[in-house]
């Protein structure tokens, strides 16, 4: 069953087209990844979905209901973990979570119990500590506790791991997996491809306000199965010219790391032969060749000619 369906969504800010004919379909029960570089339009999409921002045009259905200003019943089922921290520094962890719980009409004993449960879930046991004494990672986890206290059916997380320590990141990844196992549908936006590879069932890659590819990570990598990637170590790279190399048929992209060259090659055109020929013509010695595993970063590079992170 489709939980969220977005069709033909447009949004502009002045002269900037933030979303241009965006289409997305999210199944009930899945972890859906929205992967894209800064400025792709991820937050704009999320904010329209949450009715925090008005669309220019397009259609949004949640649970088969057209989203409009009147369906508070739908919004009560959604949980949000915003990109910018939305916690009160001078309140304790528990007070923060209880505040957000009360916005969803939780009261009394139930409010306190669910708030403590949410804090325990994200691994913040010290409920009585003031938020301002927390590390960045702990604040991020508190932000998540505030978003899940009312046990939403759909949890939307907008870049929840930016600028945090690996331990908090791992904890967040695990928590999301567990929430999902317990029945929560999740939309997860990020510009870290490792995260969507680790937890998402389906992924949409966004760029410049559009979905440029979508599917499982395996299906997305199928896009580039005719490609190979190699890391080639040479004795001297001073004579190697990037422009000359990429002008050769079958060589898609090159990147230099010390005396190593990362090269993406078209298998069908036999770009590897051409590459080796180029090196031998310049009397450059190959010290080592390693085949690299293709990643979603490679998919993005292949589709846009750019990297996910600049
Ligand atoms: P992402 O979350 O993927 O980084 P955003 O949705 O925040 O991307 O932004 C998409 C585009 O819309 C960017 O070009 C951004 O500069 C622009 N944008 C977003 N919000 C505003 C705003 N309130 N006013 C003007 N431009 C905006
Ligand atoms: Mg954003």
């Amino acid at each position: 069953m489709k939980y969220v369906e977005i069709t033909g969504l447009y949004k502009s800010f002045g002269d900037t087209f933030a979303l241009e004919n965006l289409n997305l379909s999210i199944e009930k029960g899945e972890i859906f990844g929205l992967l894209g570089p800064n400025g792709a339009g991820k937050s704009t999409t999320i904010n329209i979905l949450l009715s925090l921002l008005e669309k220019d045009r397009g259609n949004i259905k949640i649970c088969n209901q057209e989203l409009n200003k009147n369906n508070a019943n739908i919004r009560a089922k959604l949980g949000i973990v915003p990109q910018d921290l939305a916690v009160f520094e001078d309140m304790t962890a528990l007070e923060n979570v209880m505040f957000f719980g009360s916005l969803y009409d939780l009261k009394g004993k139930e409010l306190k119990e669910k708030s403590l449960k949410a804090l325990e879930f994200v691994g913040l046991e010290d409920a009585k500590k003031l938020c301002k004494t927390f590390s960045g990672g702990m604040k991020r986890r508190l932000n998540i506790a505030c978003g899940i206290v009312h046990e939403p059916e759909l949890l939307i997380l907008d870049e929840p791991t930016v600028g945090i320590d690996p331990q908090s990141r791992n904890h967040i990844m695990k928590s999301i997996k567990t929430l999902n196992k317990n029945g929560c549908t999740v939309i997860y936006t990020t510009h870290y491809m490792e995260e969507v590879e680790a937890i998402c069932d389906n992924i949409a890659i966004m760029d410049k306000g559009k979905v440029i590819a979508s599917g499982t990570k395996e299906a997305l990598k199928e896009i580039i199965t005719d490609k190979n990637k190699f890391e080639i170590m040479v004795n001297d790279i001073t004579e190697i010219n990037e422009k000359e190399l990429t002008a050769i048929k079958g060589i898609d992209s090159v990147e230099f790391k010390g005396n190593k060259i990362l090269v993406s090659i078209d298998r069908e055109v036999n770009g590897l032969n051409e590459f080796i020929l180029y090196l031998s013509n310049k009397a450059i010695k190959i010290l080592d060749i390693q085949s690299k595993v293709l990643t979603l970063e490679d998919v993005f590079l292949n589709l846009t000619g750019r990297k996910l992170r600049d």
Side-chain angles (χ1 to χ4, degrees):
M1 184 193 126
K2 291 216 183 346
Y3 200 96
V4 179
E5 219 174 353
I6 299 178
T7 42
L9 192 63
Y10 286 79
K11 175 74 189 174
S12 54
F13 298 99
D15 296 339
T16 313
F17 287 98
L19 299 179
E20 264 193 290
N21 194 17
L22 182 93
N23 297 291
L24 283 179
S25 173
I26 294 142
E27 292 287 323
K28 188 170 170 62
E30 73 171 335
I31 303 182
F32 186 89
L34 206 49
L35 176 70
N38 281 330
K42 304 180 297 294
S43 295
T44 304
T45 307
I46 297 306
N47 290 336
I48 293 175
L49 199 55
L50 292 163
S51 311
L52 298 172
L53 197 64
E54 231 172 298
K55 66 189 179 199
D56 293 345
R57 61 192 158 103
N59 259 301
I60 301 176
K61 273 189 187 168
I62 301 183
C63 302
N64 264 327
Q65 275 186 62
E66 204 80 41
L67 189 68
N68 57 43
K69 288 207 174 79
N70 303 321
N71 36 27
N73 63 323
I74 291 184
R75 285 199 293 279
K77 295 181 187 177
L78 311 184
I80 170 70
V81 178
Q83 178 168 350
D84 298 320
L85 283 172
V87 286
F88 300 101
E89 294 281 328
D90 289 315
M91 280 163 49
T92 65
L94 181 61
E95 284 165 352
N96 263 288
V97 183
M98 285 179 68
F99 171 78
F100 285 97
S102 70
L103 297 181
Y104 289 94
D105 285 340
L106 292 174
K107 289 185 192 76
K109 201 169 150 218
E110 191 192 10
L111 172 62
K112 188 158 182 193
E113 276 173 9
K114 286 197 170 164
S115 300
L116 285 168
K117 193 174 146 200
L119 282 170
E120 195 190 319
F121 188 76
V122 297
L124 279 182
E125 259 100 74
D126 229 335
K128 297 223 166 82
K129 269 206 174 147
L130 287 179
C131 173
K132 64 181 168 200
T133 66
F134 284 176
S135 70
M138 287 163 85
K139 284 181 191 170
R140 283 268 159 213
R141 291 198 232 170
L142 177 58
N143 210 33
I144 294 178
C146 294
I148 62 173
V149 59
H150 61 298
E151 300 173 341
E153 275 184 24
L154 172 67
L155 179 66
I156 302 172
L157 301 112
D158 195 359
E159 308 228 25
T161 58
V162 168
I164 64 170
D165 55 288
Q167 199 196 346
S168 282
R169 174 190 293 246
N170 289 341
H171 201 289
I172 289 173
M173 294 289 116
K174 262 199 207 148
S175 311
I176 294 169
K177 275 257 182 208
T178 309
L179 271 176
N180 177 250
K181 279 209 184 93
N182 296 340
C184 182
T185 306
V186 177
I187 299 180
Y188 189 91
T189 93
T190 184
H191 63 272
Y192 298 117
M193 61 108 193
E194 303 87 348
E195 295 184 349
V196 292
E197 286 214 14
I199 63 166
C200 297
D201 301 305
N202 277 299
I203 299 159
I205 303 182
M206 267 187 88
D207 188 42
K208 297 183 177 165
K210 292 190 186 84
V211 172
I212 54 170
S214 63
T216 60
K217 64 180 173 213
E218 291 80 15
L220 286 169
K221 286 181 192 173
E222 284 286 314
I223 296 173
I224 49 171
T225 46
D226 57 340
K227 308 285 177 215
N228 268 335
K229 197 170 178 182
F230 296 97
E231 190 175 82
I232 299 169
M233 202 198 284
V234 293
N235 63 335
D236 181 15
I237 69 156
T238 48
E239 293 293 307
I240 298 175
N241 181 304
E242 187 176 342
K243 276 208 180 110
E244 279 174 16
L245 266 179
T246 46
I248 297 172
K249 197 162 187 273
I251 298 180
D252 284 345
S253 69
V254 280
E255 201 182 316
F256 299 96
K257 269 198 221 161
N259 64 340
K260 285 182 187 159
I261 310 160
L262 261 172
V263 57
S264 169
I265 276 170
D266 195 321
R267 205 184 290 180
E268 283 176 12
V269 191
N270 209 350
L272 189 58
N273 269 357
E274 296 299 320
F275 188 77
I276 292 171
L277 201 61
Y278 174 88
L279 295 179
S280 71
N281 281 341
K282 298 207 174 211
I284 297 166
K285 272 200 194 121
I286 295 176
L287 305 177
D288 187 33
I289 296 189
Q290 277 181 31
S291 178
K292 303 295 277 183
V293 177
L294 292 168
T295 64
L296 290 179
E297 177 83 48
D298 297 312
V299 177
F300 188 79
L301 186 68
N302 191 257
L303 292 170
T304 65
R306 285 178 289 115
K307 290 179 156 193
L308 267 171
R309 271 165 279 179
D310 21 70

